[in-house]
Coordinates of all heavy atoms in Angstrom, one line a residue:
E65 N 33.5 78.4 111.4 CA 34.4 77.2 111.3 C 34.7 77.0 109.8 O 35.8 76.6 109.5 CB 33.7 76.0 111.9 CG 34.3 74.7 111.5 CD 35.6 74.4 112.1 OE1 36.1 75.2 112.9 OE2 36.3 73.4 111.7
L66 N 33.8 77.2 108.9 CA 33.9 76.8 107.5 C 34.4 77.9 106.6 O 35.0 77.6 105.5 CB 32.6 76.2 107.0 CG 32.1 74.9 107.7 CD1 30.7 74.6 107.2 CD2 33.1 73.8 107.4
E67 N 34.2 79.1 107.0 CA 34.6 80.2 106.1 C 36.2 80.2 105.9 O 36.9 80.2 106.9 CB 34.1 81.6 106.6 CG 32.7 81.8 106.3 CD 32.2 83.2 106.5 OE1 33.1 84.1 106.8 OE2 31.0 83.5 106.4
V68 N 36.6 80.3 104.7 CA 38.0 80.3 104.4 C 38.7 81.5 105.1 O 39.8 81.4 105.6 CB 38.3 80.4 102.9 CG1 39.8 80.5 102.6 CG2 37.7 79.2 102.2
G69 N 38.1 82.6 105.1 CA 38.7 83.8 105.7 C 39.0 83.7 107.2 O 39.8 84.5 107.7
S70 N 38.3 82.8 107.9 CA 38.5 82.7 109.3 C 39.7 81.9 109.7 O 40.1 81.8 110.9 CB 37.2 82.2 110.0 OG 37.0 80.8 109.6
K71 N 40.2 81.2 108.7 CA 41.3 80.3 109.0 C 42.5 81.0 109.7 O 43.2 80.4 110.6 CB 41.8 79.5 107.8 CG 40.7 78.5 107.3 CD 41.3 77.8 106.1 CE 40.2 76.7 105.6 NZ 40.7 76.0 104.4
T72 N 42.8 82.2 109.2 CA 44.0 82.9 109.7 C 43.8 83.2 111.2 O 44.8 83.4 111.9 CB 44.2 84.2 108.9 OG1 43.0 85.0 109.0 CG2 44.6 83.8 107.5
L73 N 42.5 83.3 111.7 CA 42.3 83.6 113.1 C 42.6 82.5 114.0 O 42.8 82.7 115.2 CB 40.8 84.0 113.2 CG 40.3 85.3 112.4 CD1 38.8 85.5 112.6 CD2 41.1 86.5 112.9
F74 N 42.6 81.3 113.4 CA 42.9 80.1 114.2 C 44.4 79.8 114.3 O 44.9 79.0 115.1 CB 42.3 78.9 113.6 CG 40.8 78.8 113.7 CD1 40.0 79.4 112.8 CD2 40.2 78.1 114.8 CE1 38.6 79.4 112.9 CE2 38.8 78.1 114.9 CZ 38.0 78.7 114.0
G75 N 45.2 80.6 113.5 CA 46.6 80.2 113.5 C 46.9 78.9 112.9 O 47.7 78.1 113.3
E76 N 46.1 78.6 111.8 CA 46.2 77.3 111.2 C 47.6 77.1 110.6 O 48.2 77.9 110.0 CB 45.1 77.2 110.0 CG 45.1 75.9 109.4 CD 44.0 75.8 108.3 OE1 43.1 76.6 108.4 OE2 44.1 74.9 107.4
V77 N 48.1 75.8 110.8 CA 49.4 75.4 110.2 C 49.2 74.2 109.4 O 48.7 73.1 109.9 CB 50.4 75.1 111.4 CG1 51.7 74.7 110.8 CG2 50.5 76.4 112.3
E78 N 49.5 74.3 108.1 CA 49.5 73.2 107.2 C 48.1 72.4 107.2 O 48.1 71.2 107.3 CB 50.6 72.2 107.5 CG 52.0 72.8 107.3 CD 53.1 71.8 107.6 OE1 52.8 70.7 108.1 OE2 54.3 72.1 107.4
G79 N 47.1 73.2 107.2 CA 45.8 72.6 107.1 C 45.2 72.0 108.4 O 44.1 71.5 108.4
Q80 N 46.0 72.1 109.5 CA 45.5 71.5 110.8 C 44.9 72.6 111.6 O 45.5 73.7 111.8 CB 46.7 70.9 111.5 CG 47.3 69.7 110.8 CD 48.5 69.1 111.5 OE1 48.7 69.5 112.7 NE2 49.2 68.2 110.9
R81 N 43.7 72.4 112.1 CA 43.1 73.3 113.0 C 42.2 72.6 114.0 O 41.7 71.5 113.7 CB 42.3 74.3 112.1 CG 41.2 73.7 111.3 CD 40.6 74.6 110.3 NE 39.9 75.7 111.0 CZ 39.0 76.5 110.3 NH1 38.7 76.3 109.0 NH2 38.4 77.5 110.9
E82 N 41.9 73.3 115.1 CA 41.0 72.7 116.1 C 39.7 73.5 116.2 O 39.7 74.6 115.6 CB 41.7 72.7 117.4 CG 43.0 71.9 117.5 CD 43.6 71.9 118.9 OE1 43.1 72.7 119.7 OE2 44.6 71.2 119.1
T83 N 38.8 72.9 116.8 CA 37.5 73.6 117.0 C 37.4 74.3 118.3 O 36.4 74.9 118.7 CB 36.3 72.6 116.9 OG1 36.5 71.6 117.9 CG2 36.3 71.9 115.6
S84 N 38.6 74.4 119.1 CA 38.5 75.0 120.4 C 38.2 76.4 120.4 O 37.4 76.9 121.3 CB 39.9 74.7 121.1 OG 40.9 75.3 120.4
L85 N 38.7 77.2 119.5 CA 38.4 78.6 119.4 C 36.9 78.9 119.2 O 36.3 79.7 119.9 CB 39.3 79.4 118.4 CG 39.0 80.9 118.3 CD1 39.1 81.6 119.6 CD2 39.9 81.5 117.2
V86 N 36.4 78.3 118.1 CA 35.0 78.5 117.8 C 34.1 78.0 118.9 O 33.0 78.7 119.2 CB 34.6 77.9 116.5 CG1 34.7 76.3 116.5 CG2 33.2 78.3 116.0
S87 N 34.4 76.9 119.6 CA 33.6 76.4 120.7 C 33.7 77.4 121.9 O 32.7 77.7 122.5 CB 34.1 75.1 121.2 OG 33.9 74.1 120.2
E88 N 34.9 78.0 122.1 CA 35.0 78.9 123.2 C 34.2 80.2 123.0 O 33.5 80.6 123.9 CB 36.5 79.3 123.4 CG 36.7 80.2 124.6 CD 36.5 79.5 125.9 OE1 36.5 78.3 126.0 OE2 36.3 80.2 126.9
L89 N 34.2 80.7 121.8 CA 33.4 81.8 121.4 C 31.9 81.5 121.6 O 31.1 82.3 122.1 CB 33.7 82.3 120.0 CG 35.0 83.0 119.8 CD1 35.3 83.1 118.3 CD2 35.1 84.3 120.5
A90 N 31.5 80.3 121.1 CA 30.1 80.0 121.2 C 29.6 79.7 122.6 O 28.5 80.2 123.0 CB 29.8 78.7 120.3
F91 N 30.4 79.1 123.4 CA 30.1 78.8 124.8 C 30.0 80.2 125.6 O 29.1 80.3 126.4 CB 31.1 77.9 125.5 CG 31.0 76.5 125.1 CD1 32.1 75.7 124.8 CD2 29.7 75.8 125.0 CE1 32.0 74.4 124.4 CE2 29.6 74.5 124.6 CZ 30.8 73.8 124.3
K92 N 30.9 81.1 125.3 CA 30.8 82.4 126.0 C 29.6 83.1 125.6 O 29.0 83.8 126.4 CB 32.1 83.2 125.7 CG 33.4 82.7 126.4 CD 33.2 82.7 127.9 CE 34.5 82.3 128.5 NZ 34.4 82.3 130.0
T93 N 29.2 83.0 124.3 CA 28.0 83.7 123.8 C 26.8 83.1 124.5 O 25.8 83.8 124.8 CB 27.9 83.5 122.3 OG1 29.1 84.1 121.7 CG2 26.7 84.2 121.8
C94 N 26.8 81.7 124.7 CA 25.7 81.1 125.4 C 25.6 81.6 126.8 O 24.5 81.9 127.4 CB 25.9 79.6 125.5 SG 25.6 78.7 123.9
E95 N 26.7 81.9 127.5 CA 26.8 82.4 128.8 C 26.2 83.8 128.8 O 25.4 84.2 129.7 CB 28.2 82.4 129.3 CG 28.3 82.9 130.8 CD 29.8 82.9 131.3 OE1 30.6 82.4 130.5 OE2 30.0 83.3 132.4
V96 N 26.6 84.7 127.9 CA 26.0 86.0 127.8 C 24.5 86.0 127.5 O 23.7 86.7 128.1 CB 26.7 86.8 126.7 CG1 26.0 88.2 126.4 CG2 28.2 87.0 127.0
F97 N 24.1 85.1 126.6 CA 22.7 84.9 126.3 C 21.9 84.6 127.5 O 20.8 85.1 127.8 CB 22.6 83.7 125.3 CG 21.2 83.4 124.8 CD1 20.2 84.4 124.7 CD2 20.9 82.1 124.5 CE1 18.9 84.0 124.3 CE2 19.6 81.7 124.1 CZ 18.6 82.7 124.0
Q98 N 22.4 83.7 128.4 CA 21.7 83.3 129.6 C 21.6 84.5 130.6 O 20.5 84.8 131.1 CB 22.4 82.2 130.3 CG 21.8 81.8 131.7 CD 22.6 80.7 132.4 OE1 23.5 80.1 131.8 NE2 22.2 80.4 133.6

């Protein structure tokens, strides 16, 4: 979420970004973990 380099992966526009992508990746990882 915080690394500058990851911003382009979110399709950030004018400094606005959501946490939905990182949450989706983390939740899916939790599912795989289980």
